């Protein structure tokens, strides 16, 4: 192979190739090591700082959200307790009002019942008096029709009273 033969035959080529190899590597080192690498490191460091800052902000936001959630939960429980108390108070008041109304209605119904019983007793007494007078007339008429005898009103009344009252 001619490339390998060049290396062994003449040192001039070897030195020249080594020189240019060193020049190229030095150029690459200068361009990449001194020019690009600090920029890349700065970018990586900035990204690391940004990530760390974002993580710290996220932890702070998470802690704030937890505190807000706990505050919301306490407010909700307090509101629920207040609502339950208000409902219990309203039920108690409604029960007391209902008892008052029922007592008032009970008194009114008692009065109406007493009046109705008095009216019924008066109507019964009136009806019994009318039945008694109708029975007296009917008994007088029946005796007159059946036997042809005339019965005195006082006798007929006494007979009807005896039958009706026992």
């Amino acid at each position: 192979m001619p490339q390998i033969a060049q290396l062994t035959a003449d040192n001039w080529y070897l030195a020249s190739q080594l020189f240019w190899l060193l020049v190229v590597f030095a150029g690459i080192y200068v361009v990449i090591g001194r020019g690009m690498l600090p920029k890349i490191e700065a970018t990586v460091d900035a990204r690391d700082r940004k990530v760390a800052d974002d993580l710290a902000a996220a932890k702070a936001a998470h802690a704030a959200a937890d505190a807000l959630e706990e505050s919301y939960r306490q407010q909700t429980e307090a509101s629920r307790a207040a609502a339950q108390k208000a409902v219990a108070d309203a039920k108690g008041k409604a029960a007391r009002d209902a008892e008052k109304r029922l007592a008032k209605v009970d008194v009114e119904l008692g009065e109406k019942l007493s009046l109705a019983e008095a009216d019924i007793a008066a109507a019964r007494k009136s009806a019994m008096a009318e039945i008694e007078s109708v029975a007296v007339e009917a008994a007088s008429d029946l005796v007159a029709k059946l036997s042809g005898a005339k019965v005195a009103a006082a006798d007929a009344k006494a007979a009807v009273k005896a039958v009706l009252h026992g």
Side-chain angles (χ1 to χ4, degrees):
M1 292 189 92
Q3 293 89 359
I4 297 176
Q6 286 178 356
L7 292 175
T8 59
D10 201 358
N11 282 338
W12 184 79
Y13 284 116
L14 178 63
S16 169
Q17 286 180 349
L18 285 176
F19 170 76
W20 285 111
L21 180 67
L22 289 175
V23 167
V24 168
F25 278 124
I28 290 174
Y29 174 76
V30 168
V31 169
I32 291 177
R34 299 288 182 190
M36 292 175 65
L37 189 61
K39 291 179 184 177
I40 292 171
E41 286 177 346
T43 302
V44 169
D45 290 342
R47 191 191 82 210
D48 288 344
R49 278 192 308 276
K50 175 81 169 136
V51 168
D53 291 345
D54 288 348
L55 284 175
K59 286 180 183 178
H62 184 69
D66 286 345
L68 184 63
E69 180 184 7
E70 183 61 29
S71 170
Y72 174 73
R73 187 181 352 239
Q74 289 174 353
Q75 288 176 350
T76 302
E77 289 174 3
S79 297
R80 183 176 292 123
Q84 288 174 346
K85 184 180 182 303
V87 167
D89 291 345
K91 282 182 180 179
K93 183 180 179 198
R96 287 188 301 274
D97 290 346
E99 287 175 12
K100 287 178 185 176
R101 284 184 294 193
L102 285 175
K104 183 179 176 183
V105 168
D106 192 31
V107 168
E108 289 175 2
L109 288 177
E111 291 172 358
K112 286 182 181 181
L113 181 62
S114 297
L115 290 174
E117 286 174 349
D119 288 345
I120 290 172
R124 180 180 294 151
K125 189 174 184 180
S126 172
M128 289 302 283
E130 287 181 29
I131 288 174
E132 196 172 298
S133 67
V134 169
V136 167
E137 288 177 23
S140 298
D141 289 343
L142 278 173
V143 169
K145 283 186 182 179
L146 289 176
S147 66
K150 189 110 168 130
V151 177
D155 293 336
K157 191 172 185 179
V160 168
K161 276 190 176 183
V163 171
L164 284 179
H165 297 296

